[in-house]
Amino acid sequence: MEVQGKIKMIGQTQTFGNNGFRKREIVVTTEEQYPQHIMVEFVQDKTDLLNNFQVGQPVKISINLRGREWVNPQGETKYFNSIQGWRIENLQSEAPAGMPPVPPADAFEPANDFKEEDHDDLPF
């Protein structure tokens, strides 16, 4: 599965326990009608993948959904979900050197002198 959007926040790497478990969180805001702020965690050696990214950058993150069961001291069973990232890609399009940027489609004037009989001059 994948999540796409702009980076809203990148957390610091946190270390837990005696075995040195590492975790780092990133929040991505999706670009849709109702934007969502999705928190994705990267663990262990994957925390280093976030070093080259910055807030505001558009990215695509490959994720796995993780779920776990926990029984509290009162004997109640609780369930927790997490979104774990394992790859992150930059989505900023970088134009090749020397290539001028392409103007948006609305920068062009619409054709006003179009005649119905002119539209079918193709040989097929």
Side-chain angles (χ1 to χ4, degrees):
M1 289 183 258
E2 296 173 342
V3 172
Q4 287 188 17
K6 285 192 178 177
I7 297 174
K8 180 175 181 154
M9 184 277 301
I10 301 176
Q12 297 297 316
T13 301
Q14 301 171 317
T15 305
F16 301 94
N18 295 333
N19 60 0
F21 176 81
R22 295 187 309 151
K23 178 172 95 167
R24 191 170 184 189
E25 298 173 341
I26 183 171
V27 175
V28 175
T29 302
T30 62
E31 296 175 347
E32 52 195 344
Q33 183 177 1
Y34 300 106
Q36 302 295 307
H37 306 286
I38 309 293
M39 196 272 294
V40 179
E41 60 184 29
F42 284 76
V43 298
Q44 299 298 72
D45 60 331
K46 302 293 185 193
T47 60
D48 296 334
L49 295 176
L50 302 179
N51 291 344
N52 298 321
F53 291 90
Q54 299 173 355
V55 171
Q57 214 172 348
V59 293
K60 175 170 66 172
I61 302 176
S62 299
I63 61 167
N64 290 324
L65 293 178
R66 297 285 183 217
R68 59 194 170 283
E69 180 180 88
W70 175 70
V71 179
N72 69 14
Q74 292 78 28
E76 300 170 323
T77 303
K78 304 279 184 176
Y79 296 92
F80 297 92
N81 297 321
S82 61
I83 302 170
Q84 205 168 81
W86 52 274
R87 180 172 56 200
I88 182 169
E89 300 173 53
N90 182 2
L91 288 183
Q92 280 180 327
S93 59
E94 297 178 21
M99 230 26 205
V102 178
D106 61 357
F108 296 100
E109 293 280 330
N112 295 333
D113 59 346
F114 180 75
K115 296 182 187 115
E116 188 62 35
E117 61 269 7
D118 290 346
H119 83 292
D120 199 13
D121 60 350
L122 297 175
F124 44 78

